Amino acid sequence: MLRHTAFGITFVLCISCVLGKTIVVLMAFRATLPGNNAMKWFGPPQQRLSVLTFTLIQVLICVLWLTISPPFPFQNSKYYKERIILECGLGSAIGFWAVLGYIGFLALLCFILAFLARKLPDNFNEAKFITFSMLIFCAVWITFIPAYISSPGKFTVAVEIFAILASSFGLIICIFAPKCFIIMFRPEQNTKKHLMGKAASKSL
């Protein structure tokens, strides 16, 4: 009964952290403009509060789903006459798609913000990596919808697992692989002096 809700809350928590990071990237460069104190209103406490707020909204959706019409086990003998397969029914389809829709909304918002920040200086700019990760994430879950609807019986679970793993690896590889590459193979670039010097030369 908690499988879908745990998945929804966990994914919203991850996407909220990425969304907060994207907003920080945008705010950091807007704060460099004269008279702009944007970072004052989006410091670490506000970032944690935004992640908590986004996650609590998903928790509220899941609680309403579990209260009104929760998932339930049922015996499926439609596709295999010789055996009975125990599956997890969605209960309320509206609740299930509301959970997925909220995840998609946050991912789309994160993608738009990261796309707007793609032309910021490369040294401090993680927006390009976030853009690619969100592009992969959205592509996986858009293809998930028709595959999930058309998959019979127990294959729906396999489709859901594949979508979760593919989108998770997309996020991890696109965001963290470039950082790991610099740390492991180009440690000379992993210094404040290198970053500040290169940024100064670009601004000139």
Side-chain angles (χ1 to χ4, degrees):
M1 188 170 83
L2 298 178
R3 185 185 75 190
H4 296 298
T5 54
F7 145 74
I9 294 171
T10 304
F11 257 60
V12 163
L13 179 61
C14 297
I15 298 298
S16 298
C17 293
V18 178
L19 180 59
K21 181 67 175 177
T22 308
I23 296 175
V24 167
V25 171
L26 281 172
M27 291 294 185
F29 282 90
R30 288 187 178 275
T32 59
L33 299 176
N36 194 323
N37 57 350
M39 288 304 296
K40 177 183 177 182
W41 304 105
F42 203 75
Q46 289 80 9
Q47 296 170 32
R48 298 188 189 99
L49 182 62
S50 66
V51 172
L52 181 62
T53 303
F54 289 135
T55 307
L56 285 178
I57 293 174
Q58 182 74 308
V59 171
L60 179 61
I61 295 174
C62 292
V63 169
L64 289 175
W65 180 18
L66 294 178
T67 303
I68 297 173
S69 181
F72 60 92
F74 75 99
Q75 297 177 349
N76 187 353
S77 58
K78 180 179 178 181
Y79 298 100
Y80 301 97
K81 300 297 182 182
E82 68 278 3
R83 68 181 70 173
I84 297 175
I85 300 173
L86 191 64
E87 295 183 3
C88 178
L90 294 178
S92 172
I94 297 176
F96 175 72
W97 292 111
V99 169
L100 285 185
Y102 183 65
I103 296 174
F105 168 74
L106 290 181
L108 183 62
L109 180 61
C110 187
F111 172 76
I112 293 172
L113 292 177
F115 184 78
L116 293 175
R118 71 192 186 283
K119 292 184 179 180
L120 296 178
D122 291 337
N123 289 22
F124 303 96
N125 185 19
E126 298 182 34
K128 291 181 180 178
F129 304 141
I130 297 175
T131 303
F132 283 119
S133 66
M134 287 297 106
L135 189 61
I136 294 174
F137 186 91
C138 294
V140 168
W141 286 102
I142 288 173
T143 56
F144 162 81
I145 295 173
Y148 185 87
I149 294 174
S150 61
S151 298
K154 60 182 180 180
F155 295 106
T156 56
V157 179
V159 171
E160 188 173 344
I161 292 173
F162 172 79
I164 292 172
L165 291 177
S167 55
S168 301
F169 278 111
L171 286 173
I172 293 172
I173 291 173
C174 290
I175 294 177
F176 293 105
K179 297 181 180 180
C180 294
F181 177 79
I182 291 177
I183 292 172
M184 295 176 64
F185 299 105
R186 295 183 180 176
E188 70 279 0
Q189 296 183 9
N190 191 30
T191 60
K192 184 177 180 180
K193 181 180 179 181
H194 173 81
L195 294 175
M196 297 299 292
K198 200 169 179 183
S201 64
K202 282 194 174 186
S203 62
L204 293 176

